[in-house]
Structure formats: C-alpha cells, structure tokens
C-alpha cells in the first residue's frame, strides 16, 4: 500500500497543473454586483483569508473544475484489483472467508453456495440470501472472484462520480451564497476551496477500494459487496437526478436487506431539492412528486419481489430472508450488538427487545430527515452509518461503505471533538477481534464475554464517530449562519454549547 | 434441476424397490428358515408339545367358562413364544439375546369395533396402536455401544440411547399430531424421556426404514423416525418393559432379568417391535406381532478373574426352573458352531437337540434346550447352563460391513464429520443406504459432501437431503453409496457450530451435545454364499449356483453417536449483557437525540452562588440587586 500511496501522490501532483488558478477576466454581468461585498469582505477579514477569497470569487463564473482524473482512478482500480487478486490466490482467502467479522449468515459465500446447491440438486428452496442473488450464483459461481472484484470497482466508480457531482453542487451553492452575501464575514475560513475539493472523489474511491474492510469483504466473497454496489448506484443515480433509476436501485437495495428502506427519505429530499420543490406539505407539487417517487419505488420493489416469486414459484423466501433479518434466529457472533444480547435474553422478553432493536434502526429516519432536510447527502451518510451499526447482521463490508464517505466531510475535521480517540478505538478493536476470537474459540482460554466486550467497544467507537461527524456538520452549519467567532454579551469569547 | 432429479427417479425406485423386497423377504425368510429348520429337526417333539399346550389352555378356558357362564369366550387366537440365544463372543464376552413374541390374530385398525378383550397382548400397547392408528412401531432403549468389530453382528441392532420409528396407517391425516401424542404416551408407558422427541429431532427417512411387516407402504410421509442419543437406560425402563410380558418376570425366561445384573454389563438393549404379519401361509388375514427383545453382553472374562467360563447363574444370578405356562414354546439356544467336536468348550448339561440355521448370513449350529419339557431341568428341577472353555478360539471372521464415525477439526467454529464405511467382503461390491439425521445447530454444508473410496471419488447414486430449519427441523441426509469390495469408503461433510440461546443449552453445556448415530442399511452378501471351500457336506447338485435366498441378507449398522462441543455464552451474566448492550444502544440514541433536539447556543456563564444568594436576600429586602 506504500507503493500505491506514493504513486497516487505522484499522479496527484501531476494533475495539479490542470487546476486553474489564474484570475479569469470579469466578463460577466454579475461582476459589478459582487465587487461591492468583495471589497467589504476584504476589509473585514484578515490578510490570510484574502487569497482564498480571491480564488473563490475567481471561480464564480465557471463550473467546478473538470480535470482529468481518470488516470489516478484507473491506477487505484488496478492497484485494488491486484491486492485482491493476490489475496484470492493466497492461503489467506479461506481463512478470511470464515471470519465472523467479514461474513454473516446472510452474506456468506459458503451459505449462498449451499443454498444454490440445495436448489440445484434437491430443488428445495432454502434461503439465507435473496432469490435473485442465488440466481446470480447460477451465472457467477465459476467466476466469483472476478465478479466480486468488478462489483467493488463499480461501487468505487459510482461513489467517485456521485461525490464529484455532489461537490460540484456544493461548490455551486457556496458560490451563490457567497454572491448573495449570505455568510457571515468571519466564515471565510469555512469556505471550501476547489483545490481541496478536487481530490475528494478520488479519495472516496481510494477509501472504498483500499479500505482493508472492503478488501477482506471482497476476498471473503461476501455478498455485502453486491449490496454496497447497489447502494452506491442508488446514490449515484439520486445525485444525478434520475428519479426512476434511484427508485429502482433503492428497491433493489431494500429487497437485498430491508434496512435501506430508510434511504427513501434522503433520496426523496435530494430529488425534491434538485427540482426546487420546497418540502412543504401544503404544496401539491411536493405531494405529486412524493407520490410519484413512492410509486416508482414500490412498483419496482413489487416487480423484483414478483420476479423472485416467478423464479421460484413460492413465497418461501419472504419469511426465510426477511424473517431471518428481523427475528434474528441465528446468533453466530458478529461485530454487531444483536448476537450476544439475544443469546442471553430471557425468553419472555425476547420479542419485546427484538422489536425495540429493530425499531431503533428505523427510528432515526424521521427526526434526521427533519433536521437535515437541507442536506440530504449528509443524511444518506448518516442513514448508512446507522444501518451498519444497528443492523442485525453487520459485517465490516457495511462499515466500509459509510467510511468511504469520510473524505467528503474532510472540511468538518476542525470541528471533530474526539476523532483521535475514536480512530484509536476502532483500530484497536479491529486488531483485537481476531485475537479474542482465537482465545475464545480455539485456545479456550477466554470466553464469549471477551469477544462481546470488543464488539461493544467497536460499536461505541462507531457511534462516537458518527455522532461526532453529525455534531461537526451541525456546528459548521451553525457557524455559517451565525459567524465563526462568536462573542458573549459582555464581549468575551464565547463557547458554543448544545442547549 | 427437476430434469436431473427426474433422471434418477427410475434408478432410485429400482434400487429401493429391490432393497425393500429383498429386505422384507429376507427377514421373513430368515425367520421362516429358522423355524423351518428347527421344526424339521425335531418335528416329533414339538407337535405333541403343542397339542399338550392346546389342551392345557382349553381346560383353562373351560374353567373360566364355568366361572362366568354369561360369556362364551372366543377361541384363543393369540400365542406367545419365548426364546433366548446365548452366543459366546470372540472377545470373551457373552451375548445373551431374549426374544418374546406375542402374536394375536386380530386387527386393530380395520375393524370398526373396538378391541377390548386382551389376553396375552398387552392392553396398554394395544390401545396405543388403535388410538394412534399405528401400523408399525419399533422402539429400543440401549445403554452402551455394540462393538461390531469385536462382537460380530447383533440379532437386532439398535443405536445407543433411545430410538423410535413408527409407520402410521395411511388413513391418518395429522401424522405429526399423532406422533407427538404417541411419543408422550410411550414416554409414560416406558418411563423414558421420549417426550423430548419433537420436530427438532424427528425425520422422515425416504429409504432407510421400510416397513418390516405386511403392507408395502412406501410413502414416507407416514413414517417418523427419532433418536435420543443422550437417553440413559436403567431399571425404571426395564420394569415397565417386563410388565408387558404375559408372565411378567414371574415365570419363564423373564425370571433371569434381574436389573442389578442386566445393567452391570457392557451392553444392554431392550426393544419392542410391533408389526402386522401374516396369519397363515396363505396370508389371508393379518395378525399382530409383538416382539420384545432384550440383548445384553456380559463381560465375564474380566470380571471372572480371567477364567473363560459362564453359567446362567453367573450371568443372571438366577437359574431357570420352568417355562412361562402361557408360552407355546420356550427355548434356549446356545451357539455351538465353533465347537463341533466339543474340543473348544464343554457345555453342561448337554442337549440332544441340535439345530442349524442361517442367521445373519452365516450358518450357525445351536444346542437347543426346550423349557417346556420336564427332562430339560433334570434332577435338580432347575436349569443352570454352564460353559467352560478348554482351548483358545480362532479369530473371528470380520463382519462384512461395519462403520465408524468421528468429528475432525479443532476449535468451536467449524468441523467435519467423517463416516467410514468398511466393506470387508473380499470380492463383492454392494450398495448401502446411509442415513444421517443431524440437529439444526450443526449447520451442515452439504455442498462440501465428499465420498471417497480407495482414494477415488465415489459419487453417491442417490442423495436425499432435507435442509434443517432453525429450532424446527433437523438435517436429514440419506444417500446410496456403492461400497467397492475390501475397501473403506469415507463420507465427509463440513459443518459449522451455532451459538445457541442460553436457555437452549443442556445443564452441562461444556460436556457437549450428543448427535445420534448414522444408520447404515444394506443388503450384505452372506458369508454362506461366499463359502468357496466346499468342505461342508453338501450335495453336489446344490452347490453350483449360489441359491438366491442365501446370497444376501439385510443388515443394519449403527455408528457411534457423536459428542460435539458448541461455543457457549457466559451463563452467569444475562443481566450484565442486557444492561451493557442497552447502554451502548442508549449511548447511540442519546447522542443522536441530543444533536437532534438541541441547538447551538452561546454559553452565558451563570452568576456565582454567593451572588445569587445575595440577590435573593436583596430581593426580599427590596434593595436593588447587585
């Protein structure tokens, strides 16, 4: 990976040339209008901020820089494929494919193969995976490795394009806000420069493809990679503004594992925002589009479900896949919170707590949508993170998807409170998972509590990470409206608190 | 897919059909064979005896007639036979096998009327049969494992623990309901934990368990098979079993069944088999046969200070004084095949009656003691058979088929079940049916199934797999494997161990979970047929083609039960786990709730406490505040 980093860095340096830094001639009619706040700002802010300010204003005319990023992306793809191919060929592949952190009963290749075999030989439908995935096995069973590598590549490219698109939008919005003088004047530090945003899509692709979690998941041939690809395509099609494709991919993701249902809200919010439809229940346009999007979503979901039914001729897969996800009958250890909790649960409280834990996943959608209705992409990130923390059979592949978004929020870094602690916790837990698993299962010198303790800590770490980003995002938004350097009534420097 | 399975159908039906017919024919035939040859050897003794007994019974009934003049009892249509076979085993152990057979010419199922008059047939079982429309019932309780390699083949094999398999009548609509009730009733009758049989350990084997009685039912929806490998068999199971005998343990062979001796043994197995059989040779109507068997292996060699001798008294701490008066025949057979000239051991008292029969594919010679005859008991009016070895016996002929099973792998995550099937026949290959019923908490990956014999893959010609359902249904794996001659065939399948809910573990979870035996059913080429040296006196015209009925016989082999460890949670801390996990969820909920409901505000420090107090006092005084 060292080689990869240096090569990528080299390429990045090479591409810097394409970033235009020269002032373009002010030949747009809006120029004069902007000039006045321009001078005002320059007077108010210190010298350090002047240069980015000038840069920012220089970009007011053009769109987001469209530079050639295909080469570094290709390099990252080749590198990630190489790593995966090497791992597939090594003796580690079998070990990885049995790690409980990497595969869950729902997405293990072995179980899928088993279902496929049983269906093939005995014509018995038995499901840990959705019928479409099992039918996919029919075609890919011989080229599984290549298919999983391609799927990871598709996810990365989709995320890359989506983030590129998003950054363009963010930049455009920021530009309009700047032009309209909507930001307080001491917030220039918070403005995002095209230079820093330029590499974010590539970083996202790198974060996804070179994340050890993704690599493990891919080498284990976990069908989690497929789910991630569908989600990434959903994000891409949403950000590109294609309502139909977005609904179809959302339906596919929901069909794969119920939880992405919660992404309906951010998807809808984004599309509404894109069409400049205000989220206002009194407006008929809002309802019209909402109904339109829901019909597309439900329709495609129905089509997929019926397709599965016609493939198999029975509805058995509904209880055995979705019942399996919701009622958590399989208590195989994983990195989530469910397994030990329900292994130790008193039988008469079991149903109650299953309801509580499952509602917990879906619960945050509405308040988050209300709070973040202006920021649907951050809402998507939050939802994916919440799903991967609180879902019933989480694996590291789910974590990799939301972690890929972290570079998108790199501008929040200054507001993060305990990122160092959280990264240490996550790294330590990642290292301790196999150690304590070995002690419990193979050495017999530890018991289940050890592994459980690590899963708890890992989840606390993830929760802190996500809530930290949420905090930072809200705080930045607050600063953007209220100013960065706040003062108390008596003029002393103020501290911000949540009240 | 469907085409594939359909392609195999005819072959499968053929194979099964041949198995069923030959197996049934074989069982009936061997028993017929035995009775025939026995009756042939001493036809003159048995016939007056039977007449005597009939007279006796008639006079009994005449007496009861006088007592209750209102009834005219039907002519006796039931009969009872008791029999014991003693076989000295090559390992020095003694194998004693009791069989009690009650046959009743009635039909529980077809008659509209309720059968309410019971004579020899136990009423408790009869009522069960008619209430649950049972066609065939086989139940066995076994303590210990039958060591095929040391002891040869048992007369009636049984797996360790409890085994129950029942064929229901085809008119039964709710088979599962009947099965559930039946297991609970039998649990009461036999004082056993049969009530632990539920859907999680019941399977419907498609080929391995065919009806042994009349009727060619092949629809395995009416069959239920379950084993409880953990079941411990002891006195409380023996007592109700003995009570089913017409004479109880008061007379006849059953007096030997003292539990302190029977359970002080290497192997103990008691069973009840009920099936419909032909009433007569023409098979015009059916009769019900109840066979109670008890097999026991005594380790007298080590407990008898290295002296190889046994007697009835030594084995059972009892001697025989009479036959059961209700029995139409009561005999003891002692296997003297290895002692044709009396050079190997002495058997006293010796018996003039010798019977030969083909038992389990081998021609055996037995000394017969007829307990219904006074002279059997001699002067002392008690029969204490005594056998004293004089020389060392030769090596045992290896049984043609045996099997063993073990779990490989380490750790508590996964494992592999190996089943080794040994075909010791020098030149004959034969197919065997392997049945595995594994509990759901072993997640079996059937696609990893490999069958190898002689280092080559040996693809089973038929595989029936029924996947498990968590907490509902066990795995059922049946396959037809061709065993090459003189070979070991290894069947391996990988599994994963599940973590269960803490209430689903047994009280001793770290002891492990017992997994029931595999069942191997086969038509084994008999030793008689492979008898190539023509030293035996046989007419030349009989020996050219091997006769069909002797060529193979049905054999069932049970492997060892497995003991599999599963990962366990910490049983001592459900509260802690619930509290800690809920805390983590609450941390998530709390932090999101915080961020969702609160807004950022500038922190205005509140006045210090002294100032606030002073202000309160000032407010009371009406003075301007500080």
């Amino acid at each position: 990976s060292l080689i990869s980093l240096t090569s990528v860095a080299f390429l990045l340096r090479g591409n810097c040339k394409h970033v235009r830094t020269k002032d373009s001639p002010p030949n747009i009619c809006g120029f004069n209008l902007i000039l006045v706040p321009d001078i005002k700002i320059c007077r108010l802010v210190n010298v350090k901020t002047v240069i980015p300010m000038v840069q920012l204003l220089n970009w007011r005319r053009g769109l987001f820089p469209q530079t050639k990023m295909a080469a570094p992306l290709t390099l990252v793809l080749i590198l990630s494929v190489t790593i995966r191919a090497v791992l597939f060929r090594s003796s580690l592949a079998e070990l990885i494919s049995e790690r409980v952190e990497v595969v869950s009963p729902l997405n293990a290749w072995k179980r899928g193969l088993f279902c496929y075999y049983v269906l093939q030989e005995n014509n018995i439908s038995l499901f840990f995976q959705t019928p479409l995935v099992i039918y996919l096995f029919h075609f890919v069973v011989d080229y599984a490795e290549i298919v999983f590598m391609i799927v990871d590549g598709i996810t990365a490219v989709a995320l890359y394009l989506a983030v590129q698109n998003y950054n363009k939008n963010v930049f455009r919005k920021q530009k309009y806000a700047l032009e309209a003088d909507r930001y307080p004047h001491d917030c220039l530090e918070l403005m995002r420069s095209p230079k820093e945003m330029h590499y974010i899509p590539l970083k996202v692709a790198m974060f996804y493809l070179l994340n050890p979690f993704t690599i493990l998941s891919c080498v284990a041939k976990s069908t989690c990679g497929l789910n991630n690809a569908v989600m990434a395509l959903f994000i891409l099609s949403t950000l590109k503004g294609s309502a139909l494709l977005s609904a179809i991919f959302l339906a596919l993701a929901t069909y794969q594992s119920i939880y992405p249902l919660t992404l309906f809200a951010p998807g809808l919010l984004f599309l509404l925002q894109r069409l400049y439809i205000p989220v206002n229940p009194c407006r008929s346009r809002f309802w019209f589009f909402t109904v339109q999007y829901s019909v597309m979503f439900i329709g495609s979901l129905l089509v997929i479900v019926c397709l599965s039914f016609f493939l198999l001729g029975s509805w058995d897969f509904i209880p055995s896949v979705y019942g399996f996800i919701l009622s958590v009958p399989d208590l195989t250890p994983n990195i989530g919170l469910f397994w030990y909790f329900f292994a130790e649960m008193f039988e008469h409280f079991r149903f109650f707590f299953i309801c509580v834990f499952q509602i917990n996943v879906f619960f945050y959608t509405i308040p988050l949508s209300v709070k973040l209705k202006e920021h649907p992409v951050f809402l998507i990130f939050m939802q994916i993170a919440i799903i991967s923390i609180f879902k019933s059979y989480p694996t590291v592949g789910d974590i990799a998807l939301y972690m890929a978004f972290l570079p998108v929020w790199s501008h929040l870094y200054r507001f993060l409170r305990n990122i160092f602690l959280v990264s240490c916790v996550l790294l330590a837990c990642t290292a301790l998972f196999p150690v304590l698993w070995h002690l419990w299962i193979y050495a017999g010198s530890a018991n289940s509590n050890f592994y459980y303790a690590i899963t708890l800590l890992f989840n606390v770490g993830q929760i802190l990470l996500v809530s930290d980003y949420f905090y930072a995002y809200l705080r930045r938004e607050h600063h953007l409206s209220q100013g960065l350097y706040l003062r108390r009534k008596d003029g002393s420097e103020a501290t911000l608190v949540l009240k | 897919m469907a085409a594939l399975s359909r392609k195999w159908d005819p072959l499968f039906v053929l194979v099964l059909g041949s198995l069923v017919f030959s197996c049934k024919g074989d069982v009936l035939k061997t028993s017929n064979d035995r009775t025939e040859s026995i009756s042939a050897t001493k036809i003159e003794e048995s016939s007056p005896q039977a007449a005597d007994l009939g007279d006796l019974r008639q006079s009994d009934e005449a007496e009861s007639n006088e007592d209750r003049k209102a009834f005219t009892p039907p002519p006796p249509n039931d009969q009872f036979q008791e029999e014991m076979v003693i076989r000295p085993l090559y390992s020095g152990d003694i194998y004693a096998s009791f069989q009690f057979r009650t046959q009743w010419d009635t039909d529980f199922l077809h008659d509209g009327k309720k059968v309410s008059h019971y004579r020899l047939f136990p009423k408790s079982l009869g009522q069960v049969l008619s209430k649950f429309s049972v066609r065939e019932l086989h139940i066995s309780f076994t303590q210990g494992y039958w060591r095929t390699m040391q002891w040869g083949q048992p007369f009636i094999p049984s797996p360790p623990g409890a085994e129950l398999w029942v064929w229901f009548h085809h008119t039964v609509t709710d088979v599962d309901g009947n099965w559930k009730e039946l297991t609970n009733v039998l649990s009461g009758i036999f004082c056993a934990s049969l009530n632990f049989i539920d859907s999680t350990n019941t399977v419907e084997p498609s080929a391995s368990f065919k009806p042994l009685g009349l009727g060619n039912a092949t629809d395995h929806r009416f069959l239920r098979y379950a084993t409880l490998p953990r079941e411990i068999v002891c006195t409380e199971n023996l007592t109700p079993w003995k009570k089913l005998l017409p004479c109880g343990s008061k007379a006849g062979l059953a007096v030997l069944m003292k539990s302190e001796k029977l359970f002080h043994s290497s192997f103990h197995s008691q069973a009840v088999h009920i099936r419909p059989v032909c009433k007569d040779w023409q098979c015009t109507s059916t009769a019900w046969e109840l066979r109670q068997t008890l097999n026991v292996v005594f380790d007298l060699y080590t407990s008898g200070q290295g002296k190889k001798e046994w007697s009835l008294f030594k084995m059972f701490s009892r001697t025989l004084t009479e036959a059961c008066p209700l029995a139409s025949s009561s005999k003891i057979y002692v296997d003297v095949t290895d002692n044709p000239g009396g050079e190997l051991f002495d058997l006293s008292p010796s018996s003039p009656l010798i019977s030969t029969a083909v038992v389990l594919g081998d021609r055996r010679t037995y000394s017969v003691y007829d307990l219904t005859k006074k002279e059997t008991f001699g002067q002392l009016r008690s029969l204490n058979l005594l056998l004293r070895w004089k020389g060392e016996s030769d090596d045992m002929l290896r049984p043609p088929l045996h099997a063993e099973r073990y779990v490989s792998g380490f750790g508590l995550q996964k494992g592999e079940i190996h089943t080794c099937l040994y075909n010791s026949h020098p030149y004959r290959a034969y197919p065997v049916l392997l049945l595995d019923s594994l509990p759901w908490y072993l997640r079996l990956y059937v696609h990893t199934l490999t069958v190898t014999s002689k280092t080559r893959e040996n693809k089973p010609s038929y595989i029936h797999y029924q996947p498990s359902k968590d907490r509902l249904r066990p795995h059922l794996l049946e396959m037809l494997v061709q065993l090459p001659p003189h070979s070991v065939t290894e069947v391996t399948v990988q599994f994963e161990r599940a973590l269960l809910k803490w209430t689903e573990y047994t009280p001793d979870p770290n002891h492990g979970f017992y997994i029931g035996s595999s069942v191997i059913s086969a038509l084994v080429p008999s030793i008689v047929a492979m008898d190539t040296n023509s030293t035996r006196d046989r007419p030349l015209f009989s020996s050219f083609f091997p006769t069909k009925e002797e060529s193979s016989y049905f054999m069932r082999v049970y492997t060892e039960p497995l003991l599999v460890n599963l990962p366990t949670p910490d049983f001592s801390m459900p509260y802690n786990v619930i509290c800690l996990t809920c805390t983590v969820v609450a941390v998530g909920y709390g932090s999101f709730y915080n961020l969702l409901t609160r807004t950022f505000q500038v922190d205005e420090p509140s006045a210090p406490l002294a100032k606030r107090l002073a202000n309160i006092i000032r407010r009371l005084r009406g003075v301007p505040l500080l």
Side-chain angles (χ1 to χ4, degrees), chain A residues 45-65:
Chain A
V45 300
N46 52 16
V47 186
K48 254 195 272 177
T49 54
V50 172
I51 299 159
M53 188 66 221
V54 170
Q55 274 182 358
L56 285 173
L57 288 170
N58 287 340
W59 291 107
R60 73 194 179 272
R61 186 177 57 91
L63 288 168
F64 193 74

Side-chain angles (χ1 to χ4, degrees), chain A residues 145-165:
Chain A
E145 299 175 1
I146 294 169
V147 167
F148 276 96
M149 287 194 279
I150 291 171
V151 163
D152 265 12
I154 289 173
T155 314
V157 170
L159 287 177
Y160 176 87
L161 294 174
V163 169
Q164 204 174 40
N165 197 301

Side-chain angles (χ1 to χ4, degrees), chain B residues 463-480:
Chain B
I463 296 183
H464 171 72
Y465 174 65
Q466 196 187 25
S468 71
K469 275 192 183 151
D470 281 6
R471 301 179 176 87
L472 276 182
R473 196 168 75 182
H475 301 271
L476 169 69
L477 181 61
E478 268 185 301
M479 61 185 116
L480 189 66

Side-chain angles (χ1 to χ4, degrees), chain B residues 233-278:
Chain B
V233 185
C234 203
T235 321
E236 77 268 17
N237 307 111
L238 182 66
T239 313
W241 184 88
K242 281 197 290 196
K243 279 186 185 162
L244 299 176
L245 295 170
C247 295
S249 54
K250 302 283 187 296
L253 293 171
V255 294
L256 299 177
M257 291 176 192
K258 298 288 286 178
S259 49
E260 75 267 19
K261 280 290 182 187
L262 284 185
F263 290 104
H264 188 74
S265 59
S266 308
F267 177 85
H268 169 92
S269 168
Q270 61 188 64
V272 171
H273 302 275
I274 302 172
R275 59 179 179 178
V277 292
C278 280

Side-chain angles (χ1 to χ4, degrees), chain B residues 292-352:
Chain B
Q292 287 180 258
T293 65
L294 189 142
N295 294 300
V296 63
V297 174
F298 292 103
D299 184 5
L300 293 181
Y301 192 48
T302 46
S303 62
Q305 290 89 40
K307 269 194 281 178
K308 262 177 101 175
E309 62 170 55
W310 59 264
S311 64
L312 282 187
F313 188 77
K314 239 182 169 173
M315 284 194 283
F316 301 105
S317 70
R318 284 293 169 96
T319 55
L320 286 169
T321 51
E322 54 168 348
C324 172
L326 297 170
S328 58
S329 92
S330 174
K331 294 196 182 80
I332 296 180
Y333 294 86
V334 180
D335 193 333
V336 292
T337 314
D338 304 322
N339 194 31
E343 66 270 12
L344 201 58
F345 51 74
D346 271 337
L347 182 63
S348 68
S350 59
S351 165

